[in-house]
Amino acid sequence: YSEPLKFYLTAGEHKIQLSGEREPLMLSEITFCHTKEAPAYSDYIASHKQVRADNAETKIIQAEDMYLKSEKSNYPINDRTSAYTQPQQANQILLNCMGGTRWQKVGSSVSWRVSVEKTGCYKIAPRYKQDYISGIKVYRKLKINGEVPFKEAEQLEFSYDNSWQCRALGNGKEDYLFYFEAGKEYILEMEVTLGDMDNILRRTEATLDKLNEIYKEILMVTGASPDKYRDYSFEKIIPAIKEEFLRVNGAGGERVAQLTKMEYLTQRMSDDSSEIAGKFSTFQDNLSALGTWITDMSNQPLCFDYIALVPEENEAPKAEGGFFKNLSFQCRLFASSFVVDYSSIGKLEETDEDNSIKVWVFTGRDQMN
């Protein structure tokens, strides 16, 4: 669920019990409170629209310069696929991005400190890449100083593309504007959320539970190796297998193939009971694959290069340079490969020996880098 769970309590005393399942946990306190409902975007912007940051400049916040993070794995990473990634050098490996598959678990959050020189409304335009899950959107929840500014910011979409993208946060029809006061520091936070995928995954999980029950019923009748030439009359034992499978309308791409395959298989087994024994092994394999699909779709990987605060009248920065700029960068990468000494990591100058530390590491080059 993308939103906090709500519990109904009547007036009077209640007993709250937490039972340990696995892993240690420390509790400081438990608070019962009403969740604060964020206003609609139309209400939010109506109270700030009149304040314009005229003649203000676009401000860039480097994504790798994080303020707080909820996971140790959310550390800066390197990208050398684009000349427009900031900062970028052909002869050095720079930590110039954050995220990717290290920022994909639901609830994982990263924040940055931001400020503006002129009070007014700004667009928030991250330069991002989502080429990890083909054809599928990923989602983030935006908070400013710990609060969601408006309802629509609870599930911001980031579409799939092989290239870097730089777009102002919005709904596809309009760009959202965010109010910032000059001289005041703000904490801009992005949290991984399932967005519109939460309902799809819940329905798929419920369907998988029902299909597992059907699998057990088949196993009790046929054994581990059913005779594909024998008629088990499953239509009398297991009613309406097809009705047990809920159609899931995902976004598309290769990730929807597993759902289509399972739907086709259960359709065949439902329409013709003589197919059940022959398809039993395939049915078992597809149950395992569907469970893996649910786990994979729960991940929401996304990579950020920078976050731009763009005044209302300005356009978001370009995500990529021209063909010749990228070609020039690739040529410089190629040329630097003849100069860089790949046999050593780091460089120890004779004059720096007194201020240097020698380290021996029993790992591979990737870990050392």
Side-chain angles (χ1 to χ4, degrees), residues 31-193:
T31 303
F32 292 87
C33 58
H34 293 290
T35 56
K36 185 178 181 180
E37 294 291 337
Y41 175 69
S42 57
D43 296 330
Y44 170 83
I45 198 59
S47 60
H48 300 297
K49 180 71 174 178
Q50 65 277 12
V51 185
R52 297 173 59 90
D54 294 327
N55 301 321
E57 296 182 356
T58 297
K59 184 165 186 179
I60 302 294
I61 299 97
Q62 294 299 329
E64 63 272 14
D65 295 335
M66 294 168 279
Y67 172 56
L68 295 174
K69 56 185 181 180
S70 63
E71 306 285 339
K72 291 182 179 180
S73 60
N74 290 337
Y75 52 79
I77 59 176
N78 167 257
D79 173 78
R80 306 184 83 186
T81 63
S82 171
Y84 259 44
T85 302
Q86 301 179 8
Q88 188 69 280
Q89 289 191 24
N91 61 345
Q92 292 183 343
I93 297 176
L94 303 179
L95 299 177
N96 50 17
C97 299
M98 64 76 55
T101 55
R102 297 171 178 83
W103 188 34
Q104 64 179 4
K105 290 169 35 177
V106 174
S108 177
S109 63
V110 177
S111 64
W112 301 266
R113 289 186 289 192
V114 302
S115 61
V116 295
E117 295 181 357
K118 291 190 176 182
T119 299
C121 292
Y122 293 78
K123 294 177 283 190
I124 297 178
R127 183 177 187 263
Y128 68 93
K129 180 184 278 190
Q130 200 295 90
D131 61 345
Y132 305 95
I133 308 180
S134 176
I136 301 297
K137 298 176 182 177
V138 299
Y139 298 85
R140 292 295 184 271
K141 177 190 292 185
L142 174 68
K143 296 180 181 179
I144 299 178
N145 290 342
E147 294 185 357
V148 179
F150 47 84
K151 189 72 174 176
E152 290 79 354
E154 292 182 348
Q155 50 181 49
L156 299 166
E157 298 180 354
F158 294 86
S159 58
Y160 169 81
D161 200 297
N162 285 323
S163 303
W164 284 95
Q165 304 178 66
C166 186
R167 299 177 182 175
L169 302 177
N171 56 13
K173 299 178 181 178
E174 63 176 335
D175 297 334
Y176 295 144
L177 295 174
F178 300 83
Y179 177 75
F180 295 97
E181 293 182 5
K184 183 179 178 180
E185 186 176 75
Y186 293 86
I187 305 301
L188 193 68
E189 181 182 346
M190 288 278 194
E191 179 183 323
V192 181
T193 181

